[in-house]
Amino acid sequence: MILKGWIHEIRDLGGIKFLILRNREGLYQIVLPKKKVPGEIFEKVSELNKEDVVLIECEKKESKAKDFEFEYLPSEITVLNRSETPLPLDPAEKVSAEMDTRLDNRFLDLRKRKIYSIFKIRSDLLRYAREFLLNNDFIEIHTPKIISTASEGGTDLFPVQYFEKKAYLSQSPQLYKEMMMAAGFDRVFEIAWYFRAEEHNTRRHLNESTAIDLEMAFIKDEEDVMETLENLIHHIIKNISENCKKELNEIGVEMDIPETPFKRITYDKAIEILNDRGSTIEWGEDLGTEDERILGEYMKENDIAYYFIKRFPAKKIFYIMPDGKYCRGFDLDCNGVEITSGGQRIHDHDLLVNRIREFGLNPANFEDYLKVFRYGMPPHGGFGMGIERLLMEILRLNNIRECILFPRDRNRIKP
Ligand code: ATP
Ligand code: MG
């Protein structure tokens, strides 16, 4: 048989040499007992460098080694390409490197079994998400990422020069998703990247991130959207847990499949819990990072990983359907970190105009958006879920940068 890959490790015990070969399937032990392999192959091994790319013709045998089920006796070793030494980062290293060194040499970092496994699971996560959504009658769409005005009235946008005009990179597909509801597509989702010029540099924010966004029409209220979301997450986690055992093992994480329906608490209840636990948050304020963490702890004590917070104060976001002093928006948090925001949107044109005014914004700046609501807009709602946030929580990684190949943060725009 033929094995292709990288030289992970070379061990020379005199009368016997070992090569550990690595490729995306795993590690292979190549054994070279002096007496059993041709002399020139035995010698050639001494000239190999770690990370050389090789092709090995070999015979597969059962192994007595405790780490390997099989071992391979080579009859020919062809070097396809050499690696320079020393390596800026050793994919076989036993001690972990600093995050910056790892990211500066990300292509080598990604050769590590554990790191590769994160991205294999990321790929499967998206496959299961698509599978669930397509099977539930959603249509996959793609909306523009170069936009002329802010989607949510926010200020954290990256400007781009668009010929003679000023444009921005999209921070959310919100307005376009809603336009698709007016277009009669009923159920849409988008998997795409978004750009936020937020200056903070935290372990859970990226300046370029990806998200699963969804919008659905003819809903009764936000509960319809929440039900879709919890079923989507359940489907993703169940499938990863059943089909990605090898990768989960490499990462060293065990997965609990959360039961549906997820726990729901009101914003009022959250404030009560937080105040009980020493937070100074007052009714009406946004939950800060520390508040989310405390709430996560409270849930953990009750064996709950995934929970919704709903019935936020009406002044949270202008386009969310108000309901007295509350609104029909929700967040889904996992272990003290927000992974999704969503809600029922306003579909009535005049109510939307009033809300825009109440938020101190000028309806004239929202003309393109408002037009969509004047010619038959059904009741609708949806959510946006950060893919890196979800993956980070599923795999219990402590830095969001682990979940994206080439992170963009406040200090990093390369590689
Ligand atoms: P946070 O309060 O955690 O900064 P947000 O409420 O500003 O998030 P939303 O505008 O609600 O974020 O975006 C929807 C989802 O997109 C979030 O729940 C999160 O999963 C993800 N997300 C938002 N901002 C970022 C970011 N800077 N980096 C990575 N993911 C993000
Ligand atoms: Mg949010």
Side-chain angles (χ1 to χ4, degrees), residues 239-253:
N239 277 283
I240 291 180
S241 151
E242 284 169 4
N243 305 321
C244 305
K245 292 205 165 72
K246 184 171 155 187
E247 288 77 16
L248 291 169
N249 202 26
E250 295 275 7
I251 298 166
V253 64

Side-chain angles (χ1 to χ4, degrees), residues 259-355:
E259 270 174 40
T260 53
F262 294 169
K263 170 91 178 162
R264 283 136 167 86
I265 64 163
T266 60
Y267 170 86
D268 286 0
K269 176 75 183 167
I271 297 296
E272 192 187 307
I273 295 168
L274 289 169
N275 289 157
D276 267 2
R277 298 200 163 207
S279 166
T280 52
I281 189 170
E282 285 178 29
W283 198 94
E285 289 175 352
D286 271 342
L287 305 191
T289 306
E290 181 58 12
D291 294 314
E292 285 178 8
R293 192 192 61 75
I294 298 173
L295 206 55
E297 247 171 34
Y298 170 89
M299 292 294 170
K300 202 171 170 193
E301 287 162 21
N302 293 286
D303 257 349
I304 295 164
Y306 294 83
Y307 46 95
F308 285 108
I309 307 165
K310 60 183 284 190
R311 298 197 68 70
F312 281 101
K315 59 172 198 182
K316 189 169 151 79
I317 308 175
F318 77 79
Y319 56 79
I320 297 278
M321 181 73 89
D323 182 10
K325 68 173 192 165
Y326 299 102
C327 73
R328 301 202 163 274
F330 64 82
D331 274 1
L332 177 68
D333 285 23
C334 176
N335 301 320
V337 174
E338 179 194 316
I339 55 175
T340 311
S341 279
Q344 177 177 3
R345 329 293 190 187
I346 295 171
H347 56 275
D348 180 87
H349 174 270
D350 296 349
L351 177 57
L352 195 52
V353 172
N354 284 340
R355 292 280 290 174

Side-chain angles (χ1 to χ4, degrees), residues 94-227:
K94 303 285 188 282
V95 282
S96 50
E98 293 291 321
M99 184 60 105
D100 271 332
T101 313
R102 289 179 46 204
L103 294 179
D104 286 343
N105 301 284
R106 189 61 156 163
F107 71 100
L108 284 173
D109 187 51
L110 291 164
R111 286 186 195 171
K112 295 178 192 163
R113 298 292 310 152
K114 173 180 169 177
I115 311 300
Y116 165 77
S117 298
I118 296 172
F119 291 95
K120 174 66 171 68
I121 290 181
R122 182 180 159 119
S123 163
D124 288 331
L125 181 157
L126 291 175
R127 182 216 318 211
Y128 298 130
R130 279 206 172 86
E131 179 181 279
F132 175 89
L133 293 168
L134 294 171
N135 285 342
N136 281 279
D137 233 8
F138 285 86
I139 294 177
E140 181 162 10
I141 58 164
H142 290 98
T143 63
K145 300 302 156 229
I146 301 177
I147 54 169
S148 63
T149 48
S151 339
E152 303 187 15
T155 51
D156 45 3
L157 294 171
F158 287 112
V160 289
Q161 193 63 40
Y162 194 74
F163 304 108
E164 48 289 322
K165 295 199 183 83
K166 190 161 177 187
Y168 302 92
L169 295 180
S170 174
Q171 75 183 116
S172 144
Q174 186 57 32
L175 310 191
Y176 291 98
K177 283 193 299 178
E178 295 198 66
M179 223 183 270
M180 296 313 290
M181 296 301 97
F185 275 46
D186 283 9
R187 291 174 155 233
V188 300
F189 74 97
E190 175 164 15
I191 298 180
W193 38 94
Y194 299 99
F195 310 88
R196 295 182 182 216
E198 298 160 341
E199 296 212 11
H200 49 62
N201 208 6
T202 77
R203 62 171 200 93
R204 54 190 227 170
H205 290 94
L206 293 163
N207 293 105
E208 180 182 56
S209 64
T210 58
I212 301 174
D213 265 90
L214 170 155
E215 204 70 23
M216 50 203 276
F218 300 105
I219 57 170
K220 166 177 82 335
D221 56 31
E222 77 275 29
E223 277 290 335
D224 286 351
V225 181
M226 291 158 70
E227 200 183 309

